[in-house]
C-alpha cells in the first residue's frame, strides 16, 4: 500500500488555498488541514513551514496545482528550486476529476481538496519549469499580440477620423504619429522574437520543423512553442486540443439537435495566432488543409467552421512534427488524415508520436 502526503493548491492572483492530505492507494485520503496563504515569497515560506509541521511521518510530500494563466508559476518555481515535487495539471483535467468524485460545490477550499485527492490517487507527472529562453519568448509573443491589437484600434480610429463631417487635422496627425510609433515597436518586437529563437540552437532547429508547413511563419511557430512550453504539458493530442479550446461541445438532447461548436475554454493566444495561420495554409496549400476546409464548408455551409477545423489540424500536426523531429510532408498527412465519424470539425492525424 502506497502512503504519501499531498498538498492541493488552488491559486489566484493575490493568494492561494491549500488542503493537505495523507493519501492512501486503497482508501480515501485523510484531510490533515487547510489554510490560505499570500501569493508572495513570504507566503511560500509559510506554506513550506506549515506543511513540515503537519507532515509528522517520514513520507514523500508532493504539491498539486492547476495551470492557471501564470499565477501558479512563481510558487511552482519556488517549490521546484527547493527540491519539492510539484505537479501542474491542466484546468480541464482537474475539472473532470472533480466531477468524477462528485464535488458539486465550487469554492477555493473544495478545489484545493479535490486537487489533493487527485494527487493522492493518481500518479501525476512531475512539473518541468520553462527554460529562460521560452519564458522570454512567451513574454515577447504576448507583447506582440497586444501591440497588434493597439495598432488595429488606432487604424480603425484613423479611418473614422478621415470620414467625419468636420476634419480635425491635428487629431489625424496625432493618430498617425501614434500609429508610426506602434509600428516601430511591432517591428522591433518581431526581430527580438526571432533573436530569442536563434540564440537557442535546439529551439531554432525544432522551430524549422514547424515552419516547414507552408503558411506557418516563425512568429506563429514561436507563439505555439511558447504557449505550450515546447508541448511539455501534454501527454497526447486530446489534451493539447482541449488546452487550446478546440475540443468540441455538442448540443443534442432527444429529438433536439443544436449547433456543435468548439468550447473556446482554453488558451486564447493559441487560437488567435492560428486564425491567420489557417487562412494562410488554405491559401498557399492545395492538399490536406484546403481539402478539409472545403469539405466542412460544403457540409455545414459555414466557412469559419472549416477554418477552425484547419486550425485544430495545424496544432495537432505541429505537435507531431515537434515530437518526431521531422519536417512536414504534405502527401503523407493528406493520406493519413481522417475526421472523427459524425464530427468533421475534429480531425485526427494518424501518426505515431515517438
Amino acid at each position: 500500500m502506497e502512503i504519501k502526503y499531498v498538498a492541493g493548491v488552488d491559486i489566484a492572483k493575490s493568494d492561494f488555498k491549500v488542503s493537505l492530505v495523507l493519501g492512501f492507494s486503497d482508501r480515501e485520503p485523510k484531510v490533515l488541514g487547510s489554510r490560505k496563504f499570500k501569493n508572495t515569497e513570504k507566503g511560500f515560506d509559510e506554506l513550506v513551514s506549515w506543511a513540515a509541521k503537519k507532515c509528522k511521518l517520514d513520507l514523500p510530500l508532493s504539491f498539486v496545482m492547476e495551470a492557471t494563466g501564470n499565477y501558479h508559476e512563481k510558487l511552482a518555481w519556488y517549490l521546484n528550486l527547493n527540491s519539492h515535487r510539484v505537479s501542474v495539471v491542466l484546468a480541464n483535467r482537474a475539472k473532470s476529476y472533480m466531477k468524477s468524485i462528485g464535488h458539486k460545490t465550487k469554492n477555493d477550499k473544495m478545489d484545493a481538496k479535490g486537487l489533493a485527492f487527485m494527487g493522492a490517487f493518481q500518479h501525476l507527472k512531475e512539473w518541468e519549469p520553462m527554460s529562460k529562453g521560452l519564458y522570454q519568448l512567451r513574454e515577447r509573443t504576448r507583447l506582440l499580440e497586444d501591440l497588434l491589437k493597439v495598432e488595429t484600434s488606432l487604424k480603425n480610429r484613423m479611418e473614422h477620423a478621415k470620414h467625419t463631417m468636420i476634419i480635425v487635422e491635428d487629431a489625424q496627425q496625432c493618430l498617425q504619429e501614434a500609429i508610426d510609433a506602434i509600428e516601430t515597436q511591432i517591428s522591433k518586437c518581431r526581430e527580438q522574437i526571432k533573436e530569442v529563437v536563434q540564440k537557442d540552437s535546439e529551439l531554432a532547429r525544432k522551430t524549422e520543423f514547424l515552419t516547414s508547413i507552408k503558411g506557418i511563419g516563425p512568429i506563429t511557430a514561436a507563439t505555439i512553442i511558447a504557449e505550450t512550453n515546447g508541448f511539455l504539458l501534454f501527454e497526447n493530442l486530446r489534451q493539447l486540443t482541449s488546452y487550446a479550446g478546440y475540443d468540441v461541445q455538442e448540443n443534442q438532447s432527444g429529438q433536439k439537435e443544436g449547433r456543435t461548436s468548439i468550447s473556446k475554454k482554453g488558451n486564447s493566444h493559441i487560437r488567435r495566432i492560428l486564425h491567420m495561420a489557417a487562412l494562410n495554409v488554405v491559401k498557399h496549400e492545395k492538399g490536406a488543409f484546403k481539402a478539409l476546409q472545403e469539405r466542412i464548408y460544403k457540409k455545414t455551409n459555414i466557412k469559419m467552421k472549416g477554418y477552425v477545423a484547419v486550425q485544430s489540424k495545424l496544432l495537432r500536426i505541429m505537435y507531431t512534427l515537434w515530437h518526431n523531429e521531422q519536417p512536414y510532408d504534405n502527401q503523407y498527412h493528406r493520406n493519413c488524415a481522417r475526421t472523427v465519424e459524425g464530427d468533421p470539425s475534429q480531425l485526427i492525424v494518424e501518426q505515431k508520436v515517438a
Side-chain angles (χ1 to χ4, degrees):
M1 180 178 68
E2 184 183 4
I3 308 175
K4 58 184 176 181
Y5 290 110
V6 183
V9 183
D10 185 72
I11 198 158
K13 181 179 179 180
S14 58
D15 53 38
F16 57 92
K17 190 77 174 181
V18 180
S19 180
L20 181 66
V21 304
L22 180 60
F24 307 92
S25 57
D26 61 346
R27 63 180 185 271
E28 185 171 304
K30 179 182 178 182
V31 179
L32 302 178
S34 61
R35 185 176 161 184
K36 183 181 284 189
F37 300 90
K38 292 290 184 183
N39 193 3
T40 61
E41 192 157 333
K42 182 180 178 182
F44 305 160
D45 291 335
E46 291 174 353
L47 165 64
V48 172
S49 298
W50 175 78
K53 290 178 183 178
K54 292 284 185 181
C55 300
K56 298 180 180 179
L57 301 175
D58 186 19
L59 295 171
L61 167 64
S62 59
F63 295 83
V64 181
M65 61 188 74
E66 282 186 24
T68 52
N70 58 359
Y71 296 144
H72 69 284
E73 290 177 347
K74 285 186 178 180
L75 176 57
W77 266 95
Y78 173 91
L79 294 170
N80 179 269
L81 291 173
N82 286 277
S83 303
H84 293 287
R85 192 181 193 284
V86 183
S87 293
V88 178
V89 298
L90 299 175
N92 59 307
R93 182 178 177 183
K95 185 178 179 181
S96 296
Y97 180 78
M98 305 294 183
K99 285 184 178 179
S100 71
I101 61 175
H103 275 201
K104 296 181 179 179
T105 302
K106 173 70 177 172
N107 57 47
D108 294 345
K109 183 177 180 180
M110 291 300 293
D111 287 347
K113 182 181 176 182
L115 289 167
F117 275 42
M118 186 178 184
F121 283 119
Q122 299 183 8
H123 292 283
L124 301 174
K125 183 179 178 182
E126 188 168 357
W127 177 74
E128 295 181 45
M130 257 189 184
S131 67
K132 185 178 180 181
L134 282 183
Y135 266 111
Q136 291 180 347
L137 196 60
R138 192 184 67 181
E139 289 305 303
R140 295 189 188 283
T141 54
R142 289 187 177 182
L143 172 60
L144 178 60
E145 181 183 315
D146 290 337
L147 290 172
L148 289 170
K149 288 179 185 177
V150 173
E151 180 193 33
T152 299
S153 177
L154 289 171
K155 286 185 174 179
N156 289 341
R157 185 70 187 85
M158 173 65 88
E159 192 65 20
H160 173 78
K162 287 179 178 178
H163 294 86
T164 56
M165 185 174 70
I166 300 176
I167 302 298
V168 183
E169 291 185 1
D170 57 340
Q172 288 191 26
Q173 183 180 352
C174 179
L175 282 168
Q176 189 58 55
E177 289 174 358
I179 290 170
D180 292 342
I182 208 73
E183 286 179 343
T184 299
Q185 291 302 317
I186 287 171
S187 297
K188 183 179 178 181
C189 192
R190 288 183 186 276
E191 290 304 314
Q192 289 172 338
I193 290 170
K194 293 175 184 177
E195 286 175 13
V196 171
V197 172
Q198 292 304 317
K199 281 181 181 178
D200 186 326
S201 58
E202 181 67 7
L203 181 59
R205 183 181 71 85
K206 297 188 79 170
T207 298
E208 289 183 2
F209 299 134
L210 308 190
T211 56
S212 65
I213 304 172
K214 192 171 183 180
I216 298 294
I219 301 300
T220 300
T223 301
I224 298 300
I225 294 165
E227 292 299 333
T228 60
N229 190 13
F231 298 102
L232 277 177
L233 282 173
F234 317 101
E235 297 173 5
N236 52 57
L237 289 169
R238 193 174 297 277
Q239 287 183 1
L240 174 62
T241 301
S242 181
Y243 174 76
Y246 288 120
D247 46 328
V248 174
Q249 289 185 329
E250 292 186 357
N251 183 16
Q252 187 272 335
S253 178
Q255 298 299 316
K256 177 192 173 184
E257 189 165 336
R259 188 173 178 179
T260 300
S261 63
I262 61 170
S263 71
K264 294 188 180 180
K265 294 179 180 177
N267 190 302
S268 61
H269 304 288
I270 291 176
R271 296 196 306 277
R272 184 180 296 276
I273 199 70
L274 286 180
H275 171 73
M276 288 304 299
L279 298 178
N280 286 335
V281 296
V282 169
K283 177 182 177 181
H284 293 298
E285 196 253 18
K286 297 179 181 179
F289 297 115
K290 188 172 182 64
L292 173 64
Q293 194 277 332
E294 290 176 345
R295 184 168 67 253
I296 295 179
Y297 174 49
K298 184 177 180 180
K299 183 169 183 176
T300 65
N301 204 32
I302 303 173
K303 265 192 176 181
M304 191 47 63
K305 262 199 171 183
Y307 283 112
V308 168
V310 172
Q311 292 173 40
S312 179
K313 179 181 179 181
L314 271 173
L315 185 60
R316 290 163 179 265
I317 291 180
M318 291 169 83
Y319 172 92
T320 304
L321 298 180
W322 179 272
H323 282 287
N324 287 0
E325 299 193 7
Q326 64 183 38
Y328 176 65
D329 181 346
N330 175 54
Q331 192 64 35
Y332 178 88
H333 285 286
R334 181 167 55 184
N335 293 337
C336 293
R338 67 177 176 85
T339 55
V340 178
E341 187 176 353
D343 186 0
S345 63
Q346 276 290 81
L347 187 135
I348 296 176
V349 176
E350 296 182 313
Q351 180 170 353
K352 186 175 179 181
V353 178

